[in-house]
Amino acid sequence: MKKSEEKILKDQFAELGEVIAKNESFIIMSHVRPDGDAIGSQIALGFSLMAMGKTVYLVNEDGVPESLMFLRGSQSITTPGEPVDVDVAIALDTATKPRLGERSLHAAGRAKFWINIDHHISNPAYGDLNVIDAGKPATGQIIYELIQQLGYPLPEETRDAIYVAVSTDTGSFQYGSTTAETYEMGADLIRRGLDVGMINAETYDNHPYRRLELMRALLNTLAISENGKLAHWELREETRKKLVLQPDDSEGLIDLIRGVKGVLVAAFFEELQDGKIRVSMRSKNKGVNVCEVASQFGGGGHSLAAGIRMAGPLEDAKAKVLAALETALESPVH
Amino acid sequence: MKKSEEKILKDQFAELGEVIAKNESFIIMSHVRPDGDAIGSQIALGFSLMAMGKTVYLVNEDGVPESLMFLRGSQSITTPGEPVDVDVAIALDTATKPRLGERSLHAAGRAKFWINIDHHISNPAYGDLNVIDAGKPATGQIIYELIQQLGYPLPEETRDAIYVAVSTDTGSFQYGSTTAETYEMGADLIRRGLDVGMINAETYDNHPYRRLELMRALLNTLAISENGKLAHWELREETRKKLVLQPDDSEGLIDLIRGVKGVLVAAFFEELQDGKIRVSMRSKNKGVNVCEVASQFGGGGHSLAAGIRMAGPLEDAKAKVLAALETALESPVH
């Protein structure tokens, strides 16, 4: 980070500290279909404020996914109900306000002040006070730095939740977004008593048996183009029903095909309950822009990760998208 | 680590520094069927010594596996030939001397002094000088600390190789063996210019297509006991031939079944070319000692990870071992 950016962030943290100091009650939210960084950031900030004696409501539109229920403090996150009497609403890791979910927005309706903390560059700064730092690999790391700078308490729930937030958003400290500070944070959390073996076993070695059944079903549909650059698989609604799949069961599985040597684009086709087809695409190469392909079918995303929701049946959607991907692969942008 | 242990290690590094200072030529080896820590440690120490102007031979009985050929400096590792004229032989990450391989031992035959650097607690200290630190998650981390303490050069090849050695031996900084110092080392390597996104993509997102085909073949044989505590799969020689598998293609795949919620023991049965059966077992629970089960069939290992090589056919071996595992699961040690 440049010196000037560091200075801005420090000033924002100081301003945030003032708002927190002069208010007593908070509703802390994150995005729908929450992942590790969403839930982890909620617990991390929530338990720190609670340790300061603040009144905190932790609310998520979809509650806590099964795979994150091992996190201490996750029991305190509820699904939204009637509006709560709070001074301040805090949105974490949520790129646009509607992504908090309608019922969450309703529950936070009485808040007089909005804080927006995020690491998504596309965040339009919808809060009264915004801390948006796209240089951080996870919102959890922003929360960590905020707590450090303001001298806030860092109870065990916060410690574990920060680690899980950052670990899950960096593919276990692997992605290019990971910085030296991320690793230093890991060291500090371990020195504060984090059980690194245990927390990773709970995060990564604790998937339901049906995830392997899903992996098997997907691998049995795996196909790769003749030149080896495009690999894809599919999930049919009947398989989803047969395996009684949960929404987060397929989380991250596309990385298995993205990780094949020589593959530049990975695509995942899913039949949804309403008959529509969801397409997830990953590119390994900036020259092959999957967002452009997505936009041809009304979808969107980033150049390296994009998605579409389009009309079925599966065969038609697949044929169209694969043809567009082949074209994109034939004429890469340099 | 206790203060006294730290002191011993520092003294050992100092002694090692004296031996390196007064000698000019070195053969650096590691174990057969090398993994990331073996190859990474060889490159790391080798290129540091070369940068000091020493003559270094990097030799591995089995050469560099395909999956690690991306490492800069890996081209310098050769398979052993005739004995080389060197002052000192250095064994890295190798728990017993024979594990270096017969041809490597032959190639190192003229060395007058043996250095043995390892993190396996079972290492019997077969060198003239031994640095065995079972408190470190990887030999690569011992090499890093040695270089730091002795003020040795840390060229780019060394920097990248240390990271890969430690990352692969800790499951990407996840295992319980990982310490705060491991994370601090990660931070330091990034500050020295390590491209963390790139090196992890090369380490983890670069598997051959046949690895997914192998995963599919294994998943299609996946079975789990009625109580959900024992999961296993198998690989037949005909599948190995059909997919033209390499020895390291199945590396780490057993973790997929070990990672299932509720599973306490994972077992992997492999038909070998000579008709024998190789069994790999992983336990998640110290109360279920898979080493004890292995020893019933002439195998060995640790309580949480053990292996057997036994007579076939596959069905018989499977029936016997699964029965023994069921018994071990029924009467766990507390």
PDB file of all heavy atoms in Angstrom, chain A residues 97-118:
ATOM      1  N   LYS A  97     -25.799  -2.474  -1.285  1.00  0.00           N
ATOM      2  CA  LYS A  97     -26.727  -2.531  -0.154  1.00  0.00           C
ATOM      3  C   LYS A  97     -27.796  -3.619  -0.311  1.00  0.00           C
ATOM      4  O   LYS A  97     -28.075  -4.339   0.652  1.00  0.00           O
ATOM      5  CB  LYS A  97     -27.357  -1.143   0.039  1.00  0.00           C
ATOM      6  CG  LYS A  97     -27.812  -0.887   1.460  1.00  0.00           C
ATOM      7  CD  LYS A  97     -28.136   0.591   1.667  1.00  0.00           C
ATOM      8  CE  LYS A  97     -28.786   0.815   3.018  1.00  0.00           C
ATOM      9  NZ  LYS A  97     -29.087   2.251   3.258  1.00  0.00           N
ATOM     10  N   PRO A  98     -28.385  -3.768  -1.505  1.00  0.00           N
ATOM     11  CA  PRO A  98     -29.422  -4.814  -1.640  1.00  0.00           C
ATOM     12  C   PRO A  98     -28.915  -6.228  -1.345  1.00  0.00           C
ATOM     13  O   PRO A  98     -29.707  -7.101  -0.980  1.00  0.00           O
ATOM     14  CB  PRO A  98     -29.856  -4.689  -3.108  1.00  0.00           C
ATOM     15  CG  PRO A  98     -29.462  -3.319  -3.525  1.00  0.00           C
ATOM     16  CD  PRO A  98     -28.248  -2.967  -2.735  1.00  0.00           C
ATOM     17  N   ARG A  99     -27.602  -6.449  -1.503  1.00  0.00           N
ATOM     18  CA  ARG A  99     -27.027  -7.766  -1.234  1.00  0.00           C
ATOM     19  C   ARG A  99     -27.119  -8.142   0.254  1.00  0.00           C
ATOM     20  O   ARG A  99     -26.837  -9.289   0.632  1.00  0.00           O
ATOM     21  CB  ARG A  99     -25.547  -7.813  -1.671  1.00  0.00           C
ATOM     22  CG  ARG A  99     -25.334  -7.907  -3.165  1.00  0.00           C
ATOM     23  CD  ARG A  99     -25.152  -9.340  -3.657  1.00  0.00           C
ATOM     24  NE  ARG A  99     -23.950  -9.975  -3.119  1.00  0.00           N
ATOM     25  CZ  ARG A  99     -23.800 -11.286  -3.030  1.00  0.00           C
ATOM     26  NH1 ARG A  99     -24.758 -12.100  -3.430  1.00  0.00           N
ATOM     27  NH2 ARG A  99     -22.684 -11.794  -2.552  1.00  0.00           N
ATOM     28  N   LEU A 100     -27.516  -7.198   1.100  1.00  0.00           N
ATOM     29  CA  LEU A 100     -27.745  -7.533   2.509  1.00  0.00           C
ATOM     30  C   LEU A 100     -29.015  -8.362   2.670  1.00  0.00           C
ATOM     31  O   LEU A 100     -29.173  -9.085   3.661  1.00  0.00           O
ATOM     32  CB  LEU A 100     -27.868  -6.252   3.349  1.00  0.00           C
ATOM     33  CG  LEU A 100     -26.580  -5.434   3.502  1.00  0.00           C
ATOM     34  CD1 LEU A 100     -26.896  -4.054   4.068  1.00  0.00           C
ATOM     35  CD2 LEU A 100     -25.571  -6.151   4.391  1.00  0.00           C
ATOM     36  N   GLY A 101     -29.915  -8.251   1.711  1.00  0.00           N
ATOM     37  CA  GLY A 101     -31.179  -8.971   1.777  1.00  0.00           C
ATOM     38  C   GLY A 101     -32.295  -8.068   2.286  1.00  0.00           C
ATOM     39  O   GLY A 101     -32.081  -7.202   3.137  1.00  0.00           O
ATOM     40  N   GLU A 102     -33.492  -8.298   1.763  1.00  0.00           N
ATOM     41  CA  GLU A 102     -34.633  -7.417   2.094  1.00  0.00           C
ATOM     42  C   GLU A 102     -34.992  -7.441   3.563  1.00  0.00           C
ATOM     43  O   GLU A 102     -35.266  -6.406   4.177  1.00  0.00           O
ATOM     44  CB  GLU A 102     -35.858  -7.865   1.294  1.00  0.00           C
ATOM     45  CG  GLU A 102     -35.959  -7.148  -0.027  1.00  0.00           C
ATOM     46  CD  GLU A 102     -37.195  -7.577  -0.804  1.00  0.00           C
ATOM     47  OE1 GLU A 102     -38.247  -7.849  -0.180  1.00  0.00           O
ATOM     48  OE2 GLU A 102     -37.087  -7.642  -2.039  1.00  0.00           O
ATOM     49  N   ARG A 103     -35.006  -8.638   4.147  1.00  0.00           N
ATOM     50  CA  ARG A 103     -35.427  -8.736   5.546  1.00  0.00           C
ATOM     51  C   ARG A 103     -34.373  -8.134   6.476  1.00  0.00           C
ATOM     52  O   ARG A 103     -34.702  -7.549   7.498  1.00  0.00           O
ATOM     53  CB  ARG A 103     -35.723 -10.199   5.906  1.00  0.00           C
ATOM     54  CG  ARG A 103     -37.009 -10.699   5.213  1.00  0.00           C
ATOM     55  CD  ARG A 103     -37.296 -12.164   5.507  1.00  0.00           C
ATOM     56  NE  ARG A 103     -36.218 -13.016   5.039  1.00  0.00           N
ATOM     57  CZ  ARG A 103     -35.558 -13.909   5.783  1.00  0.00           C
ATOM     58  NH1 ARG A 103     -35.908 -14.073   7.049  1.00  0.00           N
ATOM     59  NH2 ARG A 103     -34.601 -14.628   5.283  1.00  0.00           N
ATOM     60  N   SER A 104     -33.094  -8.242   6.088  1.00  0.00           N
ATOM     61  CA  SER A 104     -32.046  -7.609   6.880  1.00  0.00           C
ATOM     62  C   SER A 104     -32.188  -6.087   6.834  1.00  0.00           C
ATOM     63  O   SER A 104     -32.061  -5.404   7.855  1.00  0.00           O
ATOM     64  CB  SER A 104     -30.657  -8.021   6.376  1.00  0.00           C
ATOM     65  OG  SER A 104     -30.397  -9.363   6.706  1.00  0.00           O
ATOM     66  N   LEU A 105     -32.457  -5.563   5.636  1.00  0.00           N
ATOM     67  CA  LEU A 105     -32.627  -4.111   5.489  1.00  0.00           C
ATOM     68  C   LEU A 105     -33.816  -3.637   6.321  1.00  0.00           C
ATOM     69  O   LEU A 105     -33.764  -2.576   6.960  1.00  0.00           O
ATOM     70  CB  LEU A 105     -32.808  -3.750   4.015  1.00  0.00           C
ATOM     71  CG  LEU A 105     -31.519  -3.852   3.180  1.00  0.00           C
ATOM     72  CD1 LEU A 105     -31.831  -3.777   1.683  1.00  0.00           C
ATOM     73  CD2 LEU A 105     -30.521  -2.766   3.581  1.00  0.00           C
ATOM     74  N   HIS A 106     -34.845  -4.449   6.341  1.00  0.00           N
ATOM     75  CA  HIS A 106     -36.019  -4.129   7.151  1.00  0.00           C
ATOM     76  C   HIS A 106     -35.646  -4.110   8.642  1.00  0.00           C
ATOM     77  O   HIS A 106     -35.989  -3.170   9.377  1.00  0.00           O
ATOM     78  CB  HIS A 106     -37.115  -5.166   6.876  1.00  0.00           C
ATOM     79  CG  HIS A 106     -38.346  -5.015   7.703  1.00  0.00           C
ATOM     80  ND1 HIS A 106     -39.214  -3.953   7.570  1.00  0.00           N
ATOM     81  CD2 HIS A 106     -38.851  -5.804   8.690  1.00  0.00           C
ATOM     82  CE1 HIS A 106     -40.207  -4.088   8.433  1.00  0.00           C
ATOM     83  NE2 HIS A 106     -40.006  -5.202   9.137  1.00  0.00           N
ATOM     84  N   ALA A 107     -34.918  -5.128   9.073  1.00  0.00           N
ATOM     85  CA  ALA A 107     -34.539  -5.224  10.492  1.00  0.00           C
ATOM     86  C   ALA A 107     -33.668  -4.047  10.924  1.00  0.00           C
ATOM     87  O   ALA A 107     -33.688  -3.627  12.084  1.00  0.00           O
ATOM     88  CB  ALA A 107     -33.824  -6.549  10.762  1.00  0.00           C
ATOM     89  N   ALA A 108     -32.876  -3.511   9.967  1.00  0.00           N
ATOM     90  CA  ALA A 108     -31.955  -2.415  10.288  1.00  0.00           C
ATOM     91  C   ALA A 108     -32.596  -1.051  10.062  1.00  0.00           C
ATOM     92  O   ALA A 108     -31.937  -0.012  10.186  1.00  0.00           O
ATOM     93  CB  ALA A 108     -30.694  -2.540   9.439  1.00  0.00           C
ATOM     94  N   GLY A 109     -33.889  -1.041   9.763  1.00  0.00           N
ATOM     95  CA  GLY A 109     -34.580   0.172   9.322  1.00  0.00           C
ATOM     96  C   GLY A 109     -34.526   1.352  10.288  1.00  0.00           C
ATOM     97  O   GLY A 109     -34.650   2.509   9.871  1.00  0.00           O
ATOM     98  N   ARG A 110     -34.356   1.085  11.579  1.00  0.00           N
ATOM     99  CA  ARG A 110     -34.377   2.198  12.541  1.00  0.00           C
ATOM    100  C   ARG A 110     -33.007   2.817  12.812  1.00  0.00           C
ATOM    101  O   ARG A 110     -32.902   3.772  13.586  1.00  0.00           O
ATOM    102  CB  ARG A 110     -34.966   1.712  13.866  1.00  0.00           C
ATOM    103  CG  ARG A 110     -36.450   1.381  13.736  1.00  0.00           C
ATOM    104  CD  ARG A 110     -37.084   1.078  15.063  1.00  0.00           C
ATOM    105  NE  ARG A 110     -38.403   0.509  14.858  1.00  0.00           N
ATOM    106  CZ  ARG A 110     -38.999  -0.323  15.700  1.00  0.00           C
ATOM    107  NH1 ARG A 110     -38.382  -0.668  16.830  1.00  0.00           N
ATOM    108  NH2 ARG A 110     -40.193  -0.795  15.446  1.00  0.00           N
ATOM    109  N   ALA A 111     -31.969   2.242  12.229  1.00  0.00           N
ATOM    110  CA  ALA A 111     -30.615   2.778  12.455  1.00  0.00           C
ATOM    111  C   ALA A 111     -30.522   4.193  11.874  1.00  0.00           C
ATOM    112  O   ALA A 111     -31.036   4.461  10.799  1.00  0.00           O
ATOM    113  CB  ALA A 111     -29.581   1.865  11.815  1.00  0.00           C
ATOM    114  N   LYS A 112     -29.817   5.072  12.616  1.00  0.00           N
ATOM    115  CA  LYS A 112     -29.706   6.463  12.169  1.00  0.00           C
ATOM    116  C   LYS A 112     -28.431   6.727  11.377  1.00  0.00           C
ATOM    117  O   LYS A 112     -28.275   7.767  10.751  1.00  0.00           O
ATOM    118  CB  LYS A 112     -29.758   7.389  13.389  1.00  0.00           C
ATOM    119  CG  LYS A 112     -31.118   7.389  14.078  1.00  0.00           C
ATOM    120  CD  LYS A 112     -31.103   8.109  15.414  1.00  0.00           C
ATOM    121  CE  LYS A 112     -30.363   7.361  16.504  1.00  0.00           C
ATOM    122  NZ  LYS A 112     -31.023   6.108  16.973  1.00  0.00           N
ATOM    123  N   PHE A 113     -27.514   5.748  11.470  1.00  0.00           N
ATOM    124  CA  PHE A 113     -26.212   5.950  10.824  1.00  0.00           C
ATOM    125  C   PHE A 113     -25.743   4.622  10.227  1.00  0.00           C
ATOM    126  O   PHE A 113     -25.889   3.575  10.846  1.00  0.00           O
ATOM    127  CB  PHE A 113     -25.204   6.446  11.874  1.00  0.00           C
ATOM    128  CG  PHE A 113     -23.926   6.989  11.292  1.00  0.00           C
ATOM    129  CD1 PHE A 113     -23.819   8.328  10.940  1.00  0.00           C
ATOM    130  CD2 PHE A 113     -22.822   6.157  11.099  1.00  0.00           C
ATOM    131  CE1 PHE A 113     -22.635   8.827  10.397  1.00  0.00           C
ATOM    132  CE2 PHE A 113     -21.640   6.649  10.554  1.00  0.00           C
ATOM    133  CZ  PHE A 113     -21.539   7.985  10.213  1.00  0.00           C
ATOM    134  N   TRP A 114     -25.180   4.683   9.010  1.00  0.00           N
ATOM    135  CA  TRP A 114     -24.725   3.461   8.322  1.00  0.00           C
ATOM    136  C   TRP A 114     -23.213   3.447   8.125  1.00  0.00           C
ATOM    137  O   TRP A 114     -22.637   4.366   7.570  1.00  0.00           O
ATOM    138  CB  TRP A 114     -25.402   3.343   6.952  1.00  0.00           C
ATOM    139  CG  TRP A 114     -26.754   2.694   7.048  1.00  0.00           C
ATOM    140  CD1 TRP A 114     -27.906   3.276   7.501  1.00  0.00           C
ATOM    141  CD2 TRP A 114     -27.061   1.339   6.710  1.00  0.00           C
ATOM    142  NE1 TRP A 114     -28.938   2.366   7.468  1.00  0.00           N
ATOM    143  CE2 TRP A 114     -28.446   1.163   6.983  1.00  0.00           C
ATOM    144  CE3 TRP A 114     -26.334   0.259   6.206  1.00  0.00           C
ATOM    145  CZ2 TRP A 114     -29.098  -0.061   6.765  1.00  0.00           C
ATOM    146  CZ3 TRP A 114     -26.984  -0.952   5.985  1.00  0.00           C
ATOM    147  CH2 TRP A 114     -28.353  -1.098   6.274  1.00  0.00           C
ATOM    148  N   ILE A 115     -22.607   2.341   8.586  1.00  0.00           N
ATOM    149  CA  ILE A 115     -21.176   2.108   8.346  1.00  0.00           C
ATOM    150  C   ILE A 115     -21.048   0.964   7.338  1.00  0.00           C
ATOM    151  O   ILE A 115     -21.756  -0.035   7.419  1.00  0.00           O
ATOM    152  CB  ILE A 115     -20.450   1.734   9.660  1.00  0.00           C
ATOM    153  CG1 ILE A 115     -20.442   2.937  10.608  1.00  0.00           C
ATOM    154  CG2 ILE A 115     -19.028   1.247   9.391  1.00  0.00           C
ATOM    155  CD1 ILE A 115     -19.913   2.618  12.001  1.00  0.00           C
ATOM    156  N   ASN A 116     -20.138   1.124   6.397  1.00  0.00           N
ATOM    157  CA  ASN A 116     -19.963   0.179   5.288  1.00  0.00           C
ATOM    158  C   ASN A 116     -18.482  -0.186   5.211  1.00  0.00           C
ATOM    159  O   ASN A 116     -17.656   0.635   4.849  1.00  0.00           O
ATOM    160  CB  ASN A 116     -20.465   0.901   4.020  1.00  0.00           C
ATOM    161  CG  ASN A 116     -20.144   0.183   2.710  1.00  0.00           C
ATOM    162  OD1 ASN A 116     -19.805  -0.995   2.700  1.00  0.00           O
ATOM    163  ND2 ASN A 116     -20.245   0.926   1.621  1.00  0.00           N
ATOM    164  N   ILE A 117     -18.153  -1.424   5.598  1.00  0.00           N
ATOM    165  CA  ILE A 117     -16.749  -1.873   5.586  1.00  0.00           C
ATOM    166  C   ILE A 117     -16.621  -3.020   4.605  1.00  0.00           C
ATOM    167  O   ILE A 117     -17.314  -4.029   4.710  1.00  0.00           O
ATOM    168  CB  ILE A 117     -16.302  -2.328   6.992  1.00  0.00           C
ATOM    169  CG1 ILE A 117     -16.513  -1.202   8.009  1.00  0.00           C
ATOM    170  CG2 ILE A 117     -14.845  -2.792   6.975  1.00  0.00           C
ATOM    171  CD1 ILE A 117     -16.184  -1.592   9.452  1.00  0.00           C
ATOM    172  N   ASP A 118     -15.726  -2.875   3.625  1.00  0.00           N
ATOM    173  CA  ASP A 118     -15.666  -3.869   2.558  1.00  0.00           C
ATOM    174  C   ASP A 118     -14.319  -3.848   1.850  1.00  0.00           C
ATOM    175  O   ASP A 118     -13.578  -2.864   1.931  1.00  0.00           O
ATOM    176  CB  ASP A 118     -16.796  -3.580   1.548  1.00  0.00           C
ATOM    177  CG  ASP A 118     -16.992  -4.719   0.544  1.00  0.00           C
ATOM    178  OD1 ASP A 118     -16.533  -5.832   0.824  1.00  0.00           O
ATOM    179  OD2 ASP A 118     -17.599  -4.464  -0.516  1.00  0.00           O
TER     180      ASP A 118
END
